[in-house]
Amino acid sequence: QAGDPDPLVNTVNMTCGVEGFPNVLEESASHSTNLFQPSIAFDKSVSANLSKVGDAVEYSLSLSNTSSPDTPDLNCSISDPTLGVDKDVTLSSGGSDLTSVSYTFQAGDPDPYNNTASVTCSPTGFPNVLTASDSESVNLFQPSIAIAKTGDDLSKVGDEVNYIITLSNNSSSDTPALHCTATDSLLGAIFSGVL
């Protein structure tokens, strides 16, 4: 039970009297059971929490055997179906395993992009199962620009032609600032700055 001393010492005592005699026989026997403490630590991290379709991020899955030193080796299965991770590892007390996986965001990926990895571990020779999971969320922004140009439809040599050039930042609101330059084939540089 939780709270039992480690090691757990258990003693049995036996007392016998001989019928018709005053003698008393006494005997005892003890047994000590070493109680180990299995435990794990599992962490998932990502190289960026802001990204976009077409870009890659690095996920890291870190598993540590934080069990007491007398714990049998842990046999573990690490799973992250979205990233294609399905691996088995055996870790002694104090051991660790690091899995790194690159993922490139695809069109149609949900925004935010939530992803969960999980692990199950059992001490060698015991049926106990330790479980852990960890998630990461990546916000996917959508950068988008538009340009429109209108001008006089009719003119002649020697007359001025007036143009209206509209530059638009149509990105999602969570998109970082866009640093833009715009040049015109006749007018040259017409804009350089943040949209």
Side-chain angles (χ1 to χ4, degrees):
Q1 305 295 317
D4 280 347
D6 180 23
L8 178 64
V9 178
N10 179 252
T11 302
V12 59
N13 296 303
M14 184 171 71
T15 303
C16 297
V18 181
E19 187 174 328
F21 293 87
N23 308 75
V24 176
L25 305 173
E26 294 179 352
E27 193 64 53
S28 66
S30 296
H31 184 270
S32 178
T33 301
N34 183 30
L35 302 180
F36 63 89
Q37 295 81 37
S39 66
I40 56 174
F42 186 60
D43 179 69
K44 179 176 187 171
S45 61
V46 65
S47 60
N49 290 108
L50 181 66
S51 193
K52 61 181 174 54
V53 170
D55 287 354
V57 293
E58 288 290 324
Y59 285 97
S60 295
L61 311 178
S62 175
L63 172 63
S64 298
N65 182 346
T66 55
S67 305
S68 58
D70 53 355
T71 302
D73 289 351
L74 296 182
N75 301 305
C76 303
S77 295
I78 304 168
S79 175
D80 190 329
T82 303
L83 299 179
V85 175
D86 184 14
K87 68 184 279 190
D88 296 327
V89 296
T90 299
L91 297 176
S92 58
S93 176
S96 61
D97 178 79
L98 180 64
T99 304
S100 296
V101 182
S102 179
Y103 180 78
T104 301
F105 294 107
Q106 307 295 315
D109 279 346
D111 178 24
Y113 189 82
N114 298 313
N115 179 253
T116 301
S118 59
V119 61
T120 60
C121 297
S122 293
T124 300
F126 290 84
N128 311 75
V129 177
L130 306 173
T131 62
S133 64
D134 195 20
S135 300
E136 278 290 346
S137 180
V138 178
N139 185 27
L140 301 180
F141 65 90
Q142 295 81 38
S144 175
I145 58 172
I147 187 169
K149 181 177 182 179
T150 60
D152 297 334
D153 291 329
L154 185 64
S155 189
K156 61 180 177 32
V157 171
D159 288 352
E160 241 183 32
V161 178
N162 296 303
Y163 295 105
I164 297 174
I165 301 169
T166 305
L167 308 175
S168 300
N169 179 349
N170 298 331
S171 304
S172 57
S173 60
D174 53 357
T175 301
L178 300 182
H179 297 266
C180 303
T181 58
T183 57
D184 183 274
S185 59
L186 294 177
L187 305 174
I190 57 170
F191 179 80
S192 179
V194 177
L195 278 183

